[in-house]
Amino acid sequence: MEKIKNTQPNYVLAFDFGGTKLAAALVDLTSGEIAASETQATPANRGAEASLKVMLQAGADVLEKAGFTNKDISGVGISFGGPMSHDRRHVLRSLHVSDWDDFPLPDYVSKTFNVPAFMDNDGNAAALGEWYYGAGRGMTDMLYVQVSTGVGAGLILDRRVFRGQGLAAEFGHLTVTADGPMCACGKRGCVESLAAGWAMARSGKEAYAKAPAGSVLKTLGDQAAGAVDAKMLIEADRKGDAQAVEIVKSGFTYLGISVANAIALIDPQMVVIGGGLTRSWDVMNPLVQAALAEYLPPMFRNRTRVEHSQLHGTETLLGAALLTQGY
Ligand SMILES: [Zn+2]
């Protein structure tokens, strides 16, 4: 908490450019509370300009809802789901929306709202939010892992975001099994290709296609006209469907193996796991813990705390807001 010493509210605008949604929020950095927010679906097929327009309007709406103007905010922080230049002033491209090539997003937003603007990728922003306001409060070194549609991460080392040359903490694309399934990144065997929501949905659909009549997965899949997703797969796992149990166990065991590898590399005080799939923490955590017990080198056992996110979805916006404070 060394960066913000006053107790007066300090409002900033935060943006989260995600693949499926665009979110804007007015954040009081002093309390870590969101005073107003708005979420819109990403117009993914209409290029960067459409996304930008929707987001700037959402920002203006959020200020208006709170009875604020540009003069009442001290800065803008942006989380962006895609690679950016090393100085974090240019988006190189979006993983989800076309035409973002080499776009100076923070400068553009800064001109619009007439305040300084800062940007980082979504993994780093979420890690920052969770460390400052969530489960990681007070930690010196922390790894944040987000298990949602994809698997992202961010690393706090010595109370700073560790960025390497700009691509640090690509936890989702650590190889956990040689010749494993194909990943969205273009190689095989990434933890994302086994534990992410999209990967579980892929495996779930394949299992459903072969599922015997009367099985839980077949029944649930039929009810959804074949639209098997990770949530449904976990529901089938809870009901004891043999194929679902195997896929979920495999995915979250590989997640645990990756966490074990990261712990052995970094020796952090804490690993926080968040994201949509952690709504099934009661299913995920025992499998991660079992993998840690098996795959952590003995000297690392019972050393790093592995915790569930405390912010449940607001960590990215809160972390984006904190980018205005020099993190
Ligand atoms: Zn990958």
Side-chain angles (χ1 to χ4, degrees):
M1 297 280 175
E2 79 275 19
K3 293 270 170 179
I4 304 161
K5 292 206 170 71
N6 69 46
T7 53
Q8 293 295 313
N10 178 10
Y11 289 102
V12 300
L13 204 49
F15 290 125
D16 177 10
F17 283 83
T20 56
K21 66 184 175 73
L22 300 173
L26 179 65
V27 176
D28 172 16
L29 287 172
T30 307
S31 64
E33 278 166 18
I34 292 175
S37 66
E38 187 173 314
T39 303
Q40 300 277 354
T42 304
N45 302 321
R46 294 198 280 121
E49 208 177 314
S51 289
L52 192 56
K53 202 173 156 192
V54 168
M55 189 59 106
L56 294 177
Q57 185 59 51
D61 291 350
V62 160
L63 290 179
E64 198 187 322
K65 270 188 214 170
F68 277 43
T69 71
N70 297 355
K71 293 191 177 68
D72 300 308
I73 56 169
S74 60
V76 179
I78 304 163
S79 165
F80 191 86
M84 54 194 64
S85 61
H86 188 236
D87 65 3
R88 289 179 284 125
R89 302 307 301 178
H90 285 73
V91 167
L92 297 181
R93 66 190 165 86
S94 165
L95 301 179
H96 315 286
V97 179
S98 61
D99 306 330
W100 271 112
D101 309 301
D102 203 29
F103 183 73
L105 181 58
D107 290 347
Y108 192 91
V109 171
S110 175
K111 277 183 198 133
T112 305
F113 292 97
N114 205 27
V115 289
F118 304 88
M119 174 171 74
D120 208 337
N121 69 53
D122 45 0
N124 288 350
L128 194 49
E130 193 68 44
W131 170 66
Y132 201 92
Y133 295 115
R137 284 191 308 275
M139 296 296 126
T140 305
D141 304 310
M142 183 200 96
L143 172 69
Y144 173 80
V145 177
Q146 189 159 49
V147 190
S148 306
T149 308
V151 175
L155 186 55
I156 305 290
L157 288 185
D158 202 16
R159 303 176 64 82
R160 305 281 305 170
V161 178
F162 180 79
R163 298 182 173 93
Q165 298 182 76
L167 289 178
E170 278 295 339
F171 177 91
H173 304 292
L174 298 178
T175 304
V176 284
T177 173
D179 305 322
M182 200 65 192
C183 183
C185 73
K187 74 172 184 74
R188 290 186 177 277
C190 300
V191 63
E192 171 162 318
S193 75
L194 294 147
W198 71 258
M200 292 234 178
R202 178 177 66 183
S203 300
K205 281 194 187 85
E206 285 167 10
Y208 163 73
K210 290 181 275 180
S215 70
V216 174
L217 189 57
K218 176 78 176 143
T219 306
L220 289 174
D222 283 351
Q223 282 165 5
V228 177
D229 59 9
K231 194 178 160 200
M232 187 188 296
L233 193 69
I234 292 170
E235 190 186 338
D237 167 281
R238 286 185 200 283
K239 290 178 174 163
D241 181 276
Q243 286 173 291
V245 167
E246 195 183 314
I247 296 164
V248 171
K249 185 180 176 194
S250 164
F252 291 154
T253 298
Y254 280 118
L255 177 67
I257 290 172
S258 295
V259 170
N261 288 341
I263 288 173
L265 185 69
I266 304 157
D267 190 22
Q269 292 156 299
M270 187 181 281
V271 175
V272 182
I273 308 179
L277 263 63
T278 66
R279 283 189 210 110
S280 305
W281 185 246
D282 62 315
V283 174
M284 179 190 286
N285 189 43
L287 292 166
V288 168
Q289 293 296 339
L292 292 176
E294 191 163 350
Y295 296 103
L296 264 180
M299 62 199 169
F300 283 97
R301 293 204 183 131
N302 304 314
R303 182 172 168 86
T304 298
R305 287 164 61 192
V306 177
E307 301 280 341
H308 190 192
S309 162
Q310 287 179 1
L311 296 178
H312 306 301
T314 58
E315 57 270 32
T316 309
L317 281 167
L318 291 177
L322 284 164
L323 294 170
T324 62
Q325 305 300 299
Y327 284 106

